[in-house]
Amino acid sequence: MNDKILTTLEYSKIIDRLAAHAATALGKNVARALYPSRELEEVKRSLQATDEAYKADRLKGSAPFGGVTDIAPALQRARIGGILNPSELAAISLTVRGARRVKRHIMTLHDDDAIPMLNNLAEQLSESRELEEQINACIDDQAEVMDSASSELASIRRELKVGESRIREKLDQMVRSSSVQKMLQDAIITLRNDRYVIPVKQEYRSHFGGIVHDQSGSGATLFIEPEAIVNMNNKLRELHVAETREIEKILLRLTSVVAEYEPDLMLDLDLLGQLDFAFAKARFAHGMKGTLPRMNDRGFLKIKRGRHPLIDPAAVVPLDVELGNSYSGIIVTGPNTGGKTVSLKTIGLLSLMAMSGLFVPAEDGTQLCVFDAIYADIGDEQSIEQSLSTFSSHLTNIIRILSSMTPKSLVLLDELGAGTDPAEGSALAIAILEHMHRSGCRIVATTHYSELKAYAYNRKGVINASMEFDIQTLSPTYRLLVGVPGRSNAFAIAERLGLPRHIIDHARGEVSEEDMRVDSMIASLEEDRLSAEAERNTAESLRRELEEQRRRFDEQRERFEQQRDKLLVKAQEDAKEAVAKAKREAEQIISDLRRLAQEEGASVKEHKLIEARRRLDEAEPQLRKQGAKSGAAKPKAPQKIGAGDEVMVYSLNQKGHVVELTGGDALVQLGILKMKVGLNDLELVKSAPAQPQQQKQAASLKRSKDDQVRTELDLRGANVEEAIIEVDRFLDEAFLSNMGRVYIIHGKGTGVLRTGIADYLRKHRHVKSYRLGEYGEGGAGVTVAELK
């Protein structure tokens, strides 16, 4: 693979774009050194690394290469005994830390989703934590040696601070003095040659002893070190020299430590460069929407909607081509500027990219081959200096290709046989193609010669192709059509442009009958192709439309089922909550009954209470699973329901008896619980037997003989509101037990409770009449109620 081919196919521009995606100088160097490989296994490994980085970058983003720099020159100086400066040491520390972050990032990714090649590289990175800690203990983030680097340095810098402070105090006293201020240009203290000085006016030079270190541009100001601080400045200078020597000792010590780690760090740089390069390939693939090609070494390539990576994605026309299976050569014909050369370069460049371990801008399913070499004769390389014509230039390249190609080579020829007599050029082109075809290499050639169309048509293993041209718009579509030879559109173009008809007819007469038949055949083939393509597009459109309708139908059905299940679950949960609320109320009633039984000695049997609670538990609905059939069905038609009838309550899935009807609702007895239920929530199970009207309601709800119900209710001490609640509950129990008379004890007192109870009994539905007690019944302290 010579450099001339890489230049012809613009491979270097791909490398430049790839290098721009690298995060470090290490990765950029690896990218710029990239070269296509001729070994299938090596190419597969490189593509696997790219694929792993592509997956990692898509899931978690690129590895954190921040802080990683090319420290190889510093390491080499440390190895040969040089002294590294603080900036170099700080860069080494940052690189060690960056390598550790990269290692942890990739190993964490590997734990979540296997990326074995990148993980293997990351595992080889050394931690070098001790080196980093030693450097950080001496060098700060601004690449300055810290006071804590050594006790001697800390002591020297303390003395420096004290000395500088004393000098400033001494000079401050001088500049604040009124006698001195008039001699100063400005009342400031400054530095010249690392020594403290003050700006003195030129005319007062004789009033100051000391040393002149500098003067202003105008000469009006002298920067004088007063004699009083000369010794102090000398001492400060000595301390600075001592500081510099101590810093050199610290840097020498750190450099020797770096030298010990030099082999590991050099390996780390190589590994970091490879990792950054892999992620650069991934980001490059993302940018051009590339895919992983399948590779082979049997000379087969199949490009599906391949795009030239250097052409604007919005303008590029995808290329579909297959080579190396049924045919090993393609002869492309078509008009100039139709895209033949771009097609050649796309095939060659995508092959070079894949052989370099890069994704290619094509659709999934693209297959490419690892060739031992790619040869190309593209473009006009006419040289005035070498006295080479266009034909000579092309022929020189072809001779070079013929001497080097092998059966595993790919040869790309543009305008084969051009630049000389058409008859001789076409004959020579056929001979060259036949020789290459017999050698077994893969060939893609473009030409204008119609003789090559016939050659491709008659030669097994060679196929015609053409660049599509729109006669209506007189412009190419840049689509490569494999299997269809190109037409000469000169007559059609001339006619549309307005050339007189008699001239065109005369020109047609000059064309041989055989050529006309070939042109007619090509036109017929092209017409059939366009018709088939239109029908295929229509079928494809219908298929997409049907798939879209089916997708929408499936989505609507899924939404309907989800909504149905949600509504059903909600209804069941509402019912469950209603029953739970009723249970809580029933539990309270049972608790009150048990308390009253204990307080008043009434024989409310415990097993009856347990049985009532069990019936309430059974009344709680069970949530059915999605898709299960409903347990109960609603009544098909309205039914006449009366008092005493046995009914099914749908919302509670429980049977009960109707106590009374009020409008569109019914009071239903469920065990010991009474609930008001809508008639549309009931289904008649069993009608009550016919009986006298006054006993109809209670007949089906008689208690057993074992049940003992109180005949009297003691309300003494209660207020009117509490008494009314107790009286209502008491009368219901008495009515259900078919008791004819009950006694309500309220005491005499002020008469407020008696009056309130009397008013309530007057309106109660179960009370036929009431009166005060007679002698022996409690007198005015008791009200006797006769029940219906």
Side-chain angles (χ1 to χ4, degrees):
M1 202 84 66
N2 59 55
D3 294 338
K4 181 176 179 297
I5 299 301
L6 301 182
T7 302
T8 300
L9 296 178
E10 300 178 287
Y11 179 78
S12 59
K13 293 182 180 180
I14 297 297
I15 296 302
D16 291 339
R17 293 193 178 188
L18 172 63
H21 286 87
T24 68
L26 301 171
K28 294 181 187 297
N29 292 337
V30 177
R32 292 192 180 101
L34 182 63
Y35 201 78
S37 172
R38 298 187 295 180
E39 300 297 328
L40 178 61
E41 293 305 317
E42 183 180 349
V43 170
K44 286 183 176 180
R45 286 194 300 271
S46 182
L47 283 171
Q48 182 183 344
T50 308
D51 188 40
E52 290 181 6
Y54 186 89
K55 178 168 60 176
D57 186 67
R58 176 171 50 85
L59 295 176
K60 298 289 185 179
S62 182
F65 289 97
V68 175
T69 56
D70 186 3
I71 56 173
L75 295 177
Q76 292 171 357
R77 285 182 52 232
R79 178 170 53 82
I80 62 176
I83 300 179
L84 302 182
N85 59 46
S87 297
E88 292 172 321
L89 290 168
I92 291 172
S93 173
L94 288 174
T95 300
V96 170
R97 185 186 308 167
R100 187 166 61 252
R101 285 199 303 267
V102 171
K103 180 176 183 177
R104 291 177 180 174
H105 177 83
I106 293 176
M107 294 181 72
T108 301
L109 282 174
H110 180 65
D111 292 338
D112 297 337
D113 200 342
I115 44 174
M117 287 194 68
L118 298 185
N119 186 67
N120 181 54
L121 292 174
E123 284 181 338
Q124 298 179 56
L125 289 171
S126 63
E127 296 282 340
S128 303
R129 188 182 294 274
E130 292 183 2
L131 173 61
E132 180 189 355
E133 291 174 350
Q134 290 190 49
I135 293 175
N136 291 342
C138 301
I139 311 295
D140 62 16
D141 294 338
Q142 286 72 42
E144 299 289 341
V145 180
M146 297 185 292
D147 297 353
S148 58
S150 71
S151 58
E152 292 81 0
L153 182 61
S155 175
I156 291 170
R157 287 182 172 174
R158 279 196 300 271
E159 291 186 33
L160 277 170
K161 289 179 181 179
V162 172
E164 289 175 350
S165 177
R166 288 176 178 171
I167 291 174
R168 284 187 170 276
E169 288 178 1
K170 186 72 173 176
L171 292 176
D172 281 341
Q173 291 175 1
M174 295 178 66
V175 299
R176 283 199 300 267
S177 171
S178 58
S179 60
V180 174
Q181 281 184 353
K182 66 179 182 180
M183 304 179 189
L184 301 179
Q185 195 72 35
D186 292 297
I188 60 171
I189 301 169
T190 185
L191 284 171
R192 287 295 185 274
N193 301 322
D194 293 331
R195 299 178 77 89
Y196 285 93
V197 296
I198 55 177
V200 180
K201 296 177 181 178
Q202 174 68 37
E203 59 267 27
Y204 295 105
R205 169 67 185 89
S206 59
H207 291 76
F208 273 86
I211 305 170
V212 178
H213 286 279
D214 197 3
Q215 69 177 2
S216 65
S218 64
T221 304
L222 300 176
F223 294 93
I224 298 176
E225 178 185 358
E227 188 174 357
I229 65 166
V230 169
N231 291 333
M232 298 172 70
N233 264 331
N234 290 339
K235 177 63 175 175
L236 209 61
R237 183 65 179 169
E238 293 173 2
L239 290 172
H240 278 300
V241 173
E243 179 190 29
T244 301
R245 290 176 179 171
E246 183 59 27
I247 288 175
E248 287 179 355
K249 290 180 183 179
I250 294 168
L251 296 179
L252 182 60
R253 173 171 57 83
L254 292 175
T255 301
S256 63
V257 176
V258 170
E260 296 176 5
Y261 284 87
E262 186 265 343
D264 292 338
L265 294 179
M266 290 298 288
L267 177 60
D268 287 348
L269 293 181
D270 181 60
L271 295 171
L272 289 169
Q274 294 182 49
L275 289 170
D276 185 22
F277 170 60
F279 280 96
K281 291 191 291 182
R283 288 188 291 270
F284 182 47
H286 277 297
M288 65 179 177
K289 297 181 180 179
T291 59
L292 174 66
R294 292 170 55 190
M295 301 303 297
N296 66 83
D297 59 353
R298 54 187 178 85
F300 175 73
L301 60 85
K302 181 179 182 180
I303 300 175
K304 299 178 66 175
R305 297 188 65 78
R307 307 175 302 278
H308 196 290
L310 300 178
I311 299 178
D312 182 2
V316 67
V317 177
L319 170 74
D320 290 281
V321 65
E322 181 177 327
L323 180 66
N325 194 2
S326 301
Y327 42 85
S328 60
I330 300 177
I331 308 300
V332 184
T333 52
N336 288 327
T337 70
K340 298 191 301 296
T341 303
V342 172
S343 297
L344 283 183
K345 288 188 173 183
T346 301
I347 295 171
L349 186 55
L350 265 56
S351 297
L352 289 175
M353 291 174 64
M355 292 167 63
S356 302
L358 301 176
F359 280 19
V360 295
E363 285 190 354
D364 289 332
T366 293
Q367 297 187 52
L368 292 167
C369 175
V370 177
F371 296 103
D372 63 355
I374 297 177
Y375 300 101
D377 177 48
I378 299 175
D380 184 1
E381 297 185 11
Q382 180 177 349
S383 171
I384 298 176
E385 183 180 340
Q386 297 180 14
S387 301
L388 293 177
S389 66
T390 299
F391 177 73
S392 300
S393 172
H394 282 299
L395 195 58
T396 301
N397 286 336
I398 291 172
I399 292 171
R400 189 182 303 115
I401 292 171
L402 292 174
S403 64
S404 304
M405 68 182 189
T406 70
K408 291 187 176 182
S409 300
L410 171 65
V411 180
L412 307 172
L413 303 173
D414 191 26
E415 300 294 349
L416 180 61
T420 187
D421 178 75
E424 295 179 353
S426 61
L428 190 59
I430 292 173
I432 291 171
L433 287 174
E434 180 64 18
H435 175 78
M436 289 182 174
H437 180 62
R438 287 179 179 176
S439 72
C441 68
R442 303 297 181 259
I443 313 162
V444 182
T446 69
T447 183
H448 286 290
Y449 295 141
S450 59
E451 290 83 357
L452 268 68
K453 301 176 189 177
Y455 167 75
Y457 182 78
N458 294 319
R459 188 66 169 91
K460 183 178 180 180
V462 182
I463 192 169
N464 273 304
S466 62
M467 304 306 298
E468 188 179 51
F469 189 86
D470 190 342
I471 297 296
Q472 302 301 320
T473 62
L474 300 181
S475 61
T477 65
Y478 304 106
R479 292 180 56 200
L480 178 65
L481 306 176
V482 178
V484 179
R487 291 179 58 198
S488 173
N489 299 298
F491 295 154
I493 294 172
E495 185 174 3
R496 283 187 58 84
L497 291 177
L499 188 68
R501 184 62 180 267
H502 68 279
I503 297 177
I504 296 174
D505 291 340
H506 180 77
R508 282 198 175 101
E510 296 296 323
V511 179
S512 66
E513 184 178 348
E514 182 179 353
D515 290 338
M516 291 298 294
R517 284 201 305 270
V518 170
D519 196 58
S520 298
M521 178 191 68
I522 294 174
S524 177
L525 287 173
E526 187 168 358
E527 184 178 348
D528 292 342
R529 179 191 63 79
L530 292 174
S531 175
E533 192 171 80
E535 292 180 0
R536 186 189 67 185
N537 291 336
T538 301
E540 183 69 18
S541 177
L542 290 173
R543 182 186 65 80
R544 286 196 299 268
E545 184 178 349
L546 288 174
E547 288 180 352
E548 178 64 19
Q549 291 178 353
R550 184 169 129 187
R551 183 188 64 79
R552 287 200 301 266
F553 171 75
D554 290 341
E555 289 178 354
Q556 291 175 354
R557 182 180 63 184
E558 184 177 355
R559 283 198 300 270
F560 169 76
E561 291 177 352
Q562 291 176 352
Q563 186 176 11
R564 179 199 63 191
D565 293 337
K566 287 179 180 178
L567 291 173
L568 183 58
V569 170
K570 184 178 185 304
Q572 292 172 334
E573 289 176 349
D574 290 344
K576 184 177 179 180
E577 177 61 27
V579 173
K581 181 179 179 181
K583 281 180 62 178
R584 291 193 295 271
E585 295 177 356
E587 289 288 349
Q588 183 63 39
I589 293 172
I590 293 172
S591 176
D592 293 343
L593 289 174
R594 186 178 289 113
R595 177 177 56 78
L596 291 172
Q598 292 174 353
E599 291 176 356
E600 300 186 9
S603 60
V604 180
K605 294 187 177 181
E606 183 69 19
H607 76 277
K608 295 292 184 181
L609 300 177
I610 296 173
E611 176 64 17
R613 185 185 292 107
R614 184 189 64 78
R615 290 200 303 273
L616 286 171
D617 290 337
E618 291 176 352
E620 181 177 344
Q622 298 297 320
L623 292 179
R624 65 183 179 85
K625 294 182 179 179
Q626 295 182 3
K629 292 183 178 180
S630 178
K634 291 229 173 184
K636 297 180 181 178
Q639 305 174 62
K640 188 172 181 180
I641 296 174
D645 291 345
E646 184 178 1
V647 294
M648 167 66 74
V649 182
Y650 288 109
S651 60
L652 303 178
N653 196 24
Q654 180 69 22
K655 292 181 180 180
H657 292 82
V658 177
V659 176
E660 64 177 358
L661 300 174
T662 56
D665 298 325
L667 187 66
V668 180
Q669 186 77 33
L670 300 169
I672 65 170
L673 179 68
K674 285 192 297 184
M675 290 187 66
K676 195 172 185 180
V677 184
L679 290 177
N680 58 355
D681 196 23
L682 300 177
E683 181 184 8
L684 179 64
V685 176
K686 183 178 180 183
S687 299
Q691 51 185 303
Q693 182 65 28
Q694 64 271 21
Q695 297 179 359
K696 188 173 183 180
Q697 287 181 335
S700 62
L701 298 174
K702 285 186 178 180
R703 293 175 179 263
S704 65
K705 292 181 180 179
D706 293 336
D707 293 338
Q708 296 182 10
V709 180
R710 296 172 296 166
T711 59
E712 61 182 30
L713 175 63
D714 191 346
L715 298 175
R716 286 175 292 186
N719 58 34
V720 175
E721 289 78 9
E722 294 173 345
I724 294 302
I725 295 173
E726 293 296 327
V727 168
D728 183 64
R729 185 182 301 160
F730 174 63
L731 291 175
D732 284 343
E733 292 179 357
F735 176 79
L736 292 174
S737 300
N738 286 331
M739 297 181 64
R741 178 182 298 171
V742 294
Y743 299 88
I744 302 173
I745 304 171
H746 44 68
K748 297 178 180 179
T750 61
V752 174
L753 183 58
R754 180 179 66 243
T755 302
I757 292 174
D759 291 341
Y760 181 72
L761 293 178
R762 186 183 304 115
K763 303 173 183 176
H764 201 280
R765 60 187 177 279
H766 297 326
V767 177
K768 181 166 59 176
S769 63
Y770 65 92
R771 61 179 174 80
L772 293 176
E774 298 176 350
Y775 179 77
E777 292 178 331
V782 176
T783 295
V784 181
E786 299 290 339
L787 304 182
K788 295 180 180 179

